[in-house]
């Protein structure tokens, strides 16, 4: 599903260059649930951003579901992101003035689906994350765990090949974090490939595989 070879990433900082990823080789099979761990500055978020086509490597090969990801302009990157990927963020990134249902339906609007169809599909995913009764509530009326469930449903609604979660439990207490991770496990058991960037050991232990980064290289897999 994901094949990465010899990945390097540097950032220009004034006259200096910061070498963040130093030759990453990383493969993920379809249906895996992988935790990516490492201290601050280890390169884990940079790696996730490159996998998510939010950033571009300086060198190396990245193949996603058989498609070489290279020479992407923003239009092409957006098309591939819509086709392949679902994103879940620590800060939920929900639109404040839209209901839970409307937030989930939004990616379907960009796919050109008609309103009734968008709402039906969004409702189905809201039910799957256990929030059918909260469809008309705004994000301000939801708990942290409920917001993250809405965000997970929104990430899944376009049926992406891979879910990318960046510190998805970072804003949640430990009990709610465990509940959200159980939902992630359930989605993974249905066959979805999921990558979870986390700095929390207990969250990583709920994944099937742990990859540890340090100073831009994989030190353990």
């Amino acid at each position: 599903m994901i094949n990465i070879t010899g990945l390097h990433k540097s950032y220009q900082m004034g006259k200096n260059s910061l070498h963040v990823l130093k030759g990453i080789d990383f493969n993920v099979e379809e249906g895996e649930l992988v935790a990516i761990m490492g201290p601050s500055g280890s390169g884990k978020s940079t790696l996730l951003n490159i996998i998510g086509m939010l950033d571009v490597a300086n060198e190396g090969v990245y193949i996603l579901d058989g498609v070489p990801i290279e020479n992407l302009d923003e239009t092409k990157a957006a098309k591939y992101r819509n086709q392949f990927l679902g994103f879940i963020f620590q800060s939920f990134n929900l639109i404040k003035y839209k209901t839970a249902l409307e937030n989930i339906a939004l990616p379907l609007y960009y796919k050109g689906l008609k309103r009734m169809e968008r709402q039906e599909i969004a409702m189905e995913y809201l039910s799957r994350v256990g929030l059918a009764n909260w469809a008309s509530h705004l994000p301000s009326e939801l708990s942290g765990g409920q917001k993250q469930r809405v965000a997970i449903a929104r990430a899944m609604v376009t049926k992406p090949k891979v879910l990318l979660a960046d510190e998805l439990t970072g804003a949640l207490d430990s009990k709610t974090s465990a509940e959200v991770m159980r939902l992630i496990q359930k989605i993974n058991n249905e066959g979805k490939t999921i990558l979870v960037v986390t700095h929390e050991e207990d969250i990583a232990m709920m994944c099937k595989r742990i990859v540890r980064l340090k100073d831009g290289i994989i030190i353990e897999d």
Side-chain angles (χ1 to χ4, degrees), residues 38-51:
S40 249
S42 60
K44 58 187 187 297
S45 288
T46 302
L47 178 60
L48 197 76
N49 285 342
I50 290 170
I51 293 169

Side-chain angles (χ1 to χ4, degrees), residues 63-201:
I63 296 169
L64 175 58
D65 199 31
V67 177
I69 304 302
E70 57 190 1
N71 306 325
L72 297 186
D73 56 29
E74 188 41 51
T75 310
K76 203 171 179 186
K79 178 181 162 248
Y80 281 163
R81 279 198 294 269
N82 284 340
Q83 188 180 335
F84 290 117
L85 303 167
F87 292 90
I88 309 161
F89 301 99
Q90 175 177 345
S91 54
F92 320 127
N93 286 17
L94 300 178
I95 295 171
K96 292 185 176 71
Y97 57 84
K98 289 191 178 293
T99 65
L101 190 71
E102 287 167 342
N103 266 286
I104 294 166
L106 197 59
L108 301 172
Y109 170 80
Y110 294 116
K111 280 199 176 286
L113 271 63
K114 291 199 164 48
R115 185 156 189 252
M116 284 296 289
E117 194 180 353
R118 295 200 303 264
Q119 290 197 314
E120 272 177 35
I121 296 170
M123 195 64 212
E124 177 198 329
Y125 278 87
L126 199 55
S127 301
R128 283 180 69 180
V129 298
L131 290 176
N133 296 337
W134 296 81
S136 61
H137 286 68
L138 294 169
S140 59
E141 301 168 316
L142 302 174
S143 69
Q146 287 171 325
K147 285 180 199 169
Q148 198 55 291
R149 283 170 181 267
V150 171
I152 290 167
R154 182 186 55 191
M156 286 171 54
V157 76
T158 56
K159 299 186 177 163
K161 304 263 185 188
V162 181
L163 278 182
L164 302 177
D166 194 3
E167 299 285 3
L168 86 162
T169 60
L172 306 174
D173 63 59
S174 54
K175 180 173 176 287
T176 311
S177 295
E179 285 167 8
V180 166
M181 277 307 294
R182 278 195 289 276
L183 176 60
I184 289 290
Q185 288 175 324
K186 179 169 173 259
I187 294 163
N188 171 249
N189 289 337
E190 291 164 4
K192 189 70 71 191
T193 308
I194 307 175
L195 302 186
V196 177
V197 162
T198 182
H199 63 275
E200 299 173 71
E201 277 295 337

